[in-house]
Amino acid sequence: MSAAGWMLVAAPVAALVVLTALLRPRAAGVVAPTRLGVVRAALLTGVFAVLTVELLGAVDALTLPAFALAWLLFVAGVAVVAGRRRRPDAVGHATTATEARRAVLVGSAVGATAGTGAAPGPELPAASAAPPATVRGGVASMLSGWADRLADFRRTAGRGERLLAGTVVGVVLIELVVALLAEPNNFDSQTYHLPKVEHWVAQGSLDFWPTAIHRQVTIPPGAEYLLLHLRLFTGGDALHNLVQWAAGLGCLLAATRITAQLGGGRRAQLLTAFLLATTPMVALQATSTQTDLVAAGWAACAGTLALDGLRRRAGLSDALTLGAATGLTALTKTSGLLAVGPLLLLWGLAQLRLAGRPAATGSRQVARTVGGSLLVLLVAAVVVGPFLARETAEFGHPLGPPRLRESIPMERHDPASVLVNALRIGHTAFDTPLAPLRAGTAEAITGGSRAIGVDPQDRAITFGREVFPVPSWYPDEDRVAFPLAGSLALLGAVFALVRPRRVNPGRPGSLRAYAAVVVVAVALHTAMIKWQPWGNRLLLYALVLAVPLAGLWVDALLRRRSGPGRRSVAAGLAVTVLATSALAGVLALSYGFPRRLVGAGSVFTTTEWDTRFLRRPQWADEFRWAATAVRASDARRIGLVQQNDNWEYPWWLLLRGDDGRSPELVALQSVLPDRPPADPTSVDAIVCTGLRTECARLVPPGWTLEYRDHVGYALPPTR
């Protein structure tokens, strides 16, 4: 990557850091103000990135110069605002409500006010509350504050807290190393996540294209929009894994702030971070080009922003940022709305409750709440609306074609079917290496479902042709279960609902309300999403939102005063669980699939090409063999023959021009009714994956077809 490319990659990072300093609230009593600043900055940067893609895509300008100019203008705008806030007349004490709510506008993007009010809470990792409400302005002041809190943590933290913090930092840094060293090799990314990005680059717009893989155009593209920026800046995919890594870091920050908002102290926040960071699904996805962690990150942002509205009246910035979180979640993975929806409802009800104080201004406050709610929906619509409009125009429905709408959502909603679906999802999510336990519970579920008149393999509640049960305990990024974090979150939710004062005496109402939202989100998921073998990753957003309940409950267990014997047993059990969680996280990073530190397939010893094909190593030589023959023929326009779950991305890498330009790849099949495929006689060569019979059917007469087990190519007589 060139020096200019590195500078462009640094632009979003620089903007995020400066925006964190700008949007960090200065009012006294704000819970974890720095983390709130990060959440606001991430949402603003995310919305800018999405709208940049939408606006430039609308004018066929998805090009490096256009993106570079957009980011330079954005960074310049942020710098101007930062400079103005450092002027003497812009720096002072937030002594009035007006000053505390002064708006910060950055270009034409979403704005956020400088001050908020919320229930007090600790800032991780410091033991003290937020700094005074003096506007200290500037990145240097923010970094100095971080250094002070780190020094305070070192001075006051016990051995256990140091161990928790050190483990979290170590896991995050190891994930960063793996993310940088490993080439993208996620199965779905080879099929549609990354080909989607390459099509945008090749055509310079977001227009749909003929394809045999409908997910390239029907699945929400929010995470891929972020990848598009890196693709244009770097000219390749070397930094693609960093999007999910950054999302994982955002999940940690948002989840620990939720813990603080619910009354958790420093240890509870560290426990939350520890349990989340060491969950194998989180650790593995943080080094991937999958999209679940990105969706979970935006949903967690919505969660922490919604909790701010339980104790104080929301301002303009709160509605804007909450709308941004909602829109980004919907644009990344619509299933995340199953949690964001209840969170918005909780936020709205809390705002209505606060509107009645005092009664004299109740009607005005109710109108303000209604207006704020509409603004949330409006901002969300601005973010996700363009994609939904394209879906509606293409398929006549905002959720895509019937094939997509019927494959993943539940088609039966009677209580018995929902119960069976929930039990199967729970069995897969809590799977363990104990084979007798797995077999026994699976047999009980299948037998019980038949007893109540439900076929456990009913296609109306089961994805595709999959068959329940499947093992999911092993560390695979698409399937790995989360029995430890899930069990602790379940216990935390139960105690938060039944005995919230035993978990946190200070805020039982908020704790119970949040736990109810998490339970509702999980219930909605099991009632609306079919069971599937890789369903655990679809639950990642709910897990991230639920882990704060686990951190609070474990902290309460350690804090609880009881007899010496009972206390030692509780402490010993908690330590055992935490040690097991740490071991699971370490094993996932060390031996996880398809990116690992040691053993066969290690990121240190495996070649770039072989790393990309760790999911299907038998295909590596076949793709290279076919691409070599096609390149030797000097073919310019190349036809694609493939099925819905075949890998397309390797062709974009192997057939790219020597100057880095994208190849001209056109589909010879299309599942889009209004976008016919290319005529096979109009191409210079054909490359095929999957069934040989399907490829042979499309090869023109007189062409030479060569095929191996999975990959083939065809050339005309003149080549």
Side-chain angles (χ1 to χ4, degrees), residues 201-544:
V201 173
Q203 65 189 23
S205 72
L206 298 175
D207 292 340
F208 292 162
W209 53 89
T211 179
I213 304 173
H214 76 87
R215 291 174 294 173
Q216 291 182 359
V217 296
T218 58
I219 299 294
E224 291 90 337
Y225 280 1
L226 304 181
L227 291 176
L228 176 60
H229 291 262
L230 291 178
R231 167 65 177 85
L232 290 172
F233 291 164
T234 65
D237 58 17
L239 301 183
H240 278 10
N241 292 332
L242 293 186
V243 171
Q244 282 260 109
W245 179 83
L249 192 59
C251 288
L252 291 176
L253 294 175
T256 54
R257 184 170 189 264
I258 290 172
T259 305
Q261 290 172 288
L262 296 175
R266 184 171 68 188
R267 185 174 63 184
Q269 296 172 59
L270 287 170
L271 286 167
T272 297
F274 177 87
L275 291 171
L276 188 58
T278 56
T279 298
M281 177 66 77
V282 175
L284 290 170
Q285 286 236 358
T287 64
S288 170
T289 47
Q290 194 52 277
T291 63
D292 305 282
L293 208 51
V294 177
W298 297 134
C301 289
T304 189
L305 293 171
L307 283 178
D308 278 338
L310 297 189
R311 292 179 174 269
R312 65 170 177 81
R313 292 292 301 160
L316 176 63
S317 67
D318 301 298
L320 290 172
T321 51
L322 197 52
T326 303
L328 290 170
T329 301
L331 187 63
T332 305
K333 223 172 187 65
T334 51
S335 57
L337 294 177
L338 298 176
V340 175
L343 286 168
L344 292 178
L345 180 61
L346 175 64
W347 178 83
L349 292 175
Q351 291 296 295
L352 288 174
R353 178 179 59 84
L354 294 172
R357 304 175 185 176
T361 60
S363 59
R364 186 178 63 183
Q365 295 297 335
V366 168
R368 180 183 171 187
T369 298
V370 173
S373 301
L374 293 176
L375 182 59
V376 169
L377 298 178
L378 176 61
V379 173
V382 169
V383 175
V384 72
F387 168 71
L388 296 182
R390 288 193 299 274
E391 289 285 293
T392 303
E394 188 74 29
F395 302 108
H397 196 286
L399 298 182
R403 180 176 184 177
L404 178 64
R405 302 197 306 271
E406 296 170 1
S407 61
I408 297 177
M410 287 274 285
E411 298 177 79
R412 290 180 57 180
H413 297 91
D414 56 285
S417 297
V418 172
L419 175 61
V420 171
N421 195 54
L423 290 174
R424 295 183 305 166
I425 289 175
H427 178 274
T428 305
F430 290 89
D431 192 18
T432 71
L434 302 176
L437 177 62
R438 181 191 317 122
T441 53
E443 184 177 350
I445 291 172
T446 54
S449 64
R450 292 190 179 96
I452 60 176
V454 178
D455 180 0
Q457 316 301 344
D458 186 353
R459 297 302 104 190
I461 61 174
T462 305
F463 181 86
R465 297 184 177 88
E466 305 300 328
V467 177
F468 173 84
V470 296
S472 60
W473 59 267
Y474 55 92
D476 183 296
E477 66 173 353
D478 287 335
R479 299 194 180 201
V480 62
F482 32 83
L484 287 174
S487 297
L488 292 175
L490 179 61
L491 288 170
V494 170
F495 277 93
L497 290 171
V498 178
R499 295 186 175 181
R501 293 188 181 277
R502 296 188 66 175
V503 178
N504 187 352
R507 300 178 188 172
S510 298
L511 183 61
R512 177 175 283 166
Y514 182 78
V517 165
V518 172
V519 171
V520 168
V522 174
L524 288 174
H525 186 100
T526 59
M528 299 183 71
I529 306 295
K530 292 178 179 178
W531 175 87
Q532 49 193 282
W534 44 88
N536 288 342
R537 64 179 180 81
L538 303 183
L539 268 172
L540 194 53
Y541 71 93
L543 178 70
V544 171

